[in-house]
Amino acid sequence: MPVETVKLTGKPVVEHLRGNIKIRVEKLKENNIVPRILIIRVGNKEDDVFYERSILKNCSFLGIEGEVKELTYNVSMEELSKIIEDANDDDSIHGIMMFRPLPEHLEEKKILEKMNPKKDIDGMTPVNLGKIFEGDISGFSPCTPKAVIEMLKYYDIPLQGSNVVVAGRSLVVGKPLTMLLLKENATVTICHSKTKNMSSITSKADLVVAAIGKAKFMGQEYFSESSIVIDVGVNDDGKGKICGDVDYDNIFGKVKALTPPTGGVGTITTTILLEQAVRACEMITSDQH
Ligand code: NAP
């Protein structure tokens, strides 16, 4: 029997978040403060350039200034470190976002250690990740896990006491998301590539978040009619189309709620980044006064 699946789209979540950001940007402008971010891009990866364009478009829509520092692929550790240190010291820059992964000759961990955590709007410095793991929400979160939480809150999906499975344990998505869900009092199970019989675990959960990076990997056997499914995966389906980790076409109509492969969680990520930029600006400028 088909069930009526609720399609969880990102657009209304973005609109809701933008309303709040715009009010806060206006308030800063009343004090002659314009939030400003620096985007650091090493090389010319198509995905990075695409995301960068989306960030800049959203910046201008929200009244935030965005500047890009484009570096050649063979930039040295010293040059990149200097750029980060200069941005740390520049009072007119409130947030720094650096595309990762960096090329192999650059030691990403060392570079991130140099970034001022107060300007780390992408939530990747050890200090901010540490805060997430301590359950301290005063820092910045990686944007995708935060986007998942905002989506769940917007759609009033209960988390307290719910059984949640996070499929994937990366430091960008799975692990920080697990911590944010724990903070919401969910009971969280993490699955990964060595998990045995993952479908027997996910199919019993109230909520499943798929973040494994495997095109349409999770089919009907991974879910039940009462499953709420958040698909974080962004993959190429082999035919030039973007698809998620979940087999959307075969799952829709068989679960309670589901995010689409495009127009879902990914739509919210940029707005989270810019919300964190505004928060960084608010905190830095209030420290200065
Ligand atoms: P990642 O670093 O490659 O991590 C993938 C995780 O999935 C790993 O923990 C891996 O387990 C696990 N995994 C792989 N195959 C599995 C399997 N067959 N069964 C169970 N677990 C499996 O990827 P990521 O950066 O976390 O990204 C995950 C997905 O989210 C990708 O599709 C990515 O494009 C997408 N993404 C989307 C956004 C967005 O804004 N929407 C942002 C970031 C990422 P092991 O640890 O055992 O290897």
Side-chain angles (χ1 to χ4, degrees):
M1 267 279 286
V3 293
E4 205 164 310
T5 302
V6 176
K7 187 172 168 182
L8 304 168
T9 56
K11 204 169 166 214
V13 189
V14 168
E15 274 161 16
H16 168 73
L17 293 170
R18 275 181 178 169
N20 170 276
I21 296 172
K22 279 191 158 177
I23 293 168
R24 288 160 61 194
V25 170
E26 280 308 312
K27 216 167 160 200
L28 286 163
K29 283 189 182 158
E30 282 167 17
N31 294 315
N32 297 317
I33 298 164
V34 180
R36 181 159 169 252
I37 63 165
L38 178 70
I39 301 170
I40 301 171
R41 172 164 51 80
V42 178
N44 249 324
K45 266 187 9 211
E46 201 182 326
D47 286 357
D48 293 353
V49 175
F50 185 79
Y51 186 30
E52 181 181 290
R53 257 189 235 134
S54 155
I55 297 170
L56 293 174
K57 204 169 127 203
N58 277 277
C59 274
S60 68
F61 180 76
L62 292 166
I64 296 169
E65 280 179 13
E67 185 195 329
V68 179
K69 188 92 191 163
E70 185 180 344
L71 303 165
T72 56
Y73 183 83
N74 56 6
V75 65
S76 68
M77 272 295 279
E78 292 68 32
E79 286 168 295
L80 184 54
S81 302
K82 172 87 170 59
I83 287 161
I84 301 269
E85 281 157 0
D86 287 349
N88 285 344
D89 294 340
D90 184 340
D91 285 345
S92 74
I93 295 174
H94 307 107
I96 308 169
M97 189 269 177
M98 181 179 71
F99 284 103
R100 294 167 313 110
L102 291 170
E104 264 177 30
H105 69 279
L106 298 168
E107 290 171 77
E108 193 168 290
K109 198 162 173 275
K110 280 196 181 154
I111 297 280
L112 284 171
E113 278 165 5
K114 290 189 192 294
M115 194 186 290
N116 179 353
K118 289 184 174 169
K119 297 191 177 186
D120 167 30
I121 56 173
D122 208 20
M124 286 319 296
T125 56
V127 170
N128 280 317
L129 281 177
K131 282 189 176 182
I132 298 279
F133 281 75
E134 283 170 11
D136 174 352
I137 53 163
S138 70
F140 297 114
S141 165
C143 297
T144 302
K146 186 86 186 293
V148 172
I149 298 289
E150 290 296 342
M151 175 170 260
L152 295 169
K153 287 192 171 168
Y154 178 85
Y155 285 103
D156 276 332
I157 293 168
L159 291 173
Q160 180 151 318
S162 290
N163 290 320
V164 181
V165 173
V166 175
R169 58 174 166 179
S170 74
L171 207 51
V172 190
V173 188
K175 278 182 188 158
L177 175 60
T178 299
M179 294 302 136
L180 295 179
L181 288 162
L182 275 180
K183 181 81 185 157
E184 299 295 330
N185 295 318
T187 304
V188 194
T189 305
I190 310 181
C191 294
H192 47 77
S193 67
K194 307 291 183 291
T195 300
K196 285 182 191 157
N197 202 1
M198 185 162 81
S199 60
S200 71
I201 303 167
T202 55
S203 59
K204 292 187 194 83
D206 301 309
L207 168 69
V208 179
V209 184
I212 62 174
K214 294 267 177 300
K216 300 185 187 180
F217 185 86
M218 297 170 79
Q220 196 181 342
E221 70 278 19
Y222 284 79
F223 308 105
S224 75
E225 284 183 2
S226 59
S227 303
I228 295 171
V229 186
I230 306 288
D231 190 356
V232 173
V234 180
N235 314 296
D236 188 331
D237 71 352
K239 294 173 197 151
K241 263 181 83 181
I242 286 176
C243 71
D245 292 340
V246 171
D247 188 357
Y248 183 83
D249 292 337
N250 285 315
I251 296 306
F252 199 87
K254 295 181 183 111
V255 295
K256 191 170 170 189
L258 174 62
T259 57
T262 52
V265 174
T267 325
I268 310 169
T269 317
T270 314
T271 310
I272 299 291
L273 180 81
L274 297 182
E275 189 280 328
Q276 301 203 127
V278 173
R279 190 146 58 85
C281 179
E282 290 165 342
M283 291 197 299
I284 290 168
T285 53
S286 79
D287 281 355
Q288 285 163 352
H289 290 108

